Amino acid sequence: MIIVTKPEATEEQVQHIIDRILEWGLKAEVSRGALRTVIGVIGSEDVIREKPLTAIPGVESATPVLKPYKLVAREFRGGNASHVKIGDVTVGGPNVVIMSGPCSVESSEQIGSIAKIIGASGAKILRGGAFKPRTSPYSFQGLGVEGLRLLAEARKESGLPVITEIMDTKDLEAVEQYADCLQVGARNMQNFSLLKEVGRSRLPVMLKRGMSATIKDLLMSAEYILSEGNFNVLLCERGIRTFETYTRNTLDLNAVPVLKAETHLPVIVDPTHGIGLREHVLPMALAAVAAGADGIMVEVHNSPELAKSDGEQALLPDEFADLVVRLRKVAEAVGRSV
Ligand code: PEP
Ligand code: MN
């Protein structure tokens, strides 16, 4: 249920509305606008429906969210966008945020030098996998906790906050100890136990779209995280499976404007996994920003032929520097900055 206050509602009245909601055993998620305050009421829909919300002084309207996803729905924030902080970087504001780094953390030297390179070119967040979801059990599975430690070391040297994938609830404590943002990968988008667990984390979460998931599936999975109390969620379009096999996946840029309209959560695009071919990552990154993405995630490696995973799609450092320069122009053309 969404409560909108009257423009003339006083601060005392707003507080009184919140107190009433809490008294009834419900939760209140408050978004203050210039003119009105929007209060999302969280709890059992049956209980909420019985309450005389419009009888509380200062309340202008109380409207149920009719969509299957409630907390992630754009109207839950009164039509406003959410800003999510990763370390000291804000995602969802006027700046388009670039996340970059190797697919996997491989060594101290590797992650340290890539962090330095991408930071100097304009990346704001460092990515790197320590727990890797590989199609084959014989492929490199990641360095695990040692990889997390190396990421934290690279953060210290580069000053870039880090995002890394969490694959299993049993690793959450370790990942929380080292990372600034949790990534839930495409293969785990509907791992509901994991979603609930990261929903109780103090860290923001980037949820990647499953390779066969619809936009609605993605939003319902995000709803799991918010319903546990964690509202700091980013959504990531990373390509879906279609009949096309020339590219690794089909980057569904339709999802960007659709998600921006449907949800208040920031939207990130990963053109690297979306297309899977180094020489075509750049135009898809530009297109993502033109389509309204709040950020992009691109893989970069200083020596892709030696990469332990995804070497064929990683940009070289110079290509990444070029991408940032071009991205600035596209961002400017759509009223954003990098
Ligand atoms: C990754 O970011 O390296 C990754 C494994 O992504 P996805 O879950 O989208 O395949
Ligand atoms: Mn990868």
Side-chain angles (χ1 to χ4, degrees), residues 93-97 289 294 327-328 330-338:
N95 286 351
V96 174
V97 173
V289 173
D294 297 297
L327 214 56
R328 284 210 169 96
V330 175
E332 207 176 296
V334 294
R336 312 281 295 261
S337 51
V338 170

Side-chain angles (χ1 to χ4, degrees), residues 102-104 127 132 248 272-273 299 309-310 313:
C103 183
S104 300
R127 66 147 283 146
K132 293 304 304 176
R248 180 175 180 179
T272 305
H273 292 86
E299 288 184 347
S309 59
D310 286 352
Q313 62 185 25

Side-chain angles (χ1 to χ4, degrees), residues 102-104 127-129 131-134 165 183-188 206 208-209 211 236-239 248-249 270 273-274 297 299 309-310 313:
C103 183
S104 300
R127 66 147 283 146
F131 297 98
K132 293 304 304 176
R134 305 306 300 281
E165 179 160 355
Q183 174 172 320
V184 174
R187 290 155 191 82
N188 267 319
M206 185 171 86
K208 297 187 92 173
R209 180 178 180 182
M211 54 191 83
C236 179
E237 163 58 41
R238 48 76 72 201
R248 180 175 180 179
N249 289 295
D270 171 354
H273 292 86
M297 173 177 262
E299 288 184 347
S309 59
D310 286 352
Q313 62 185 25

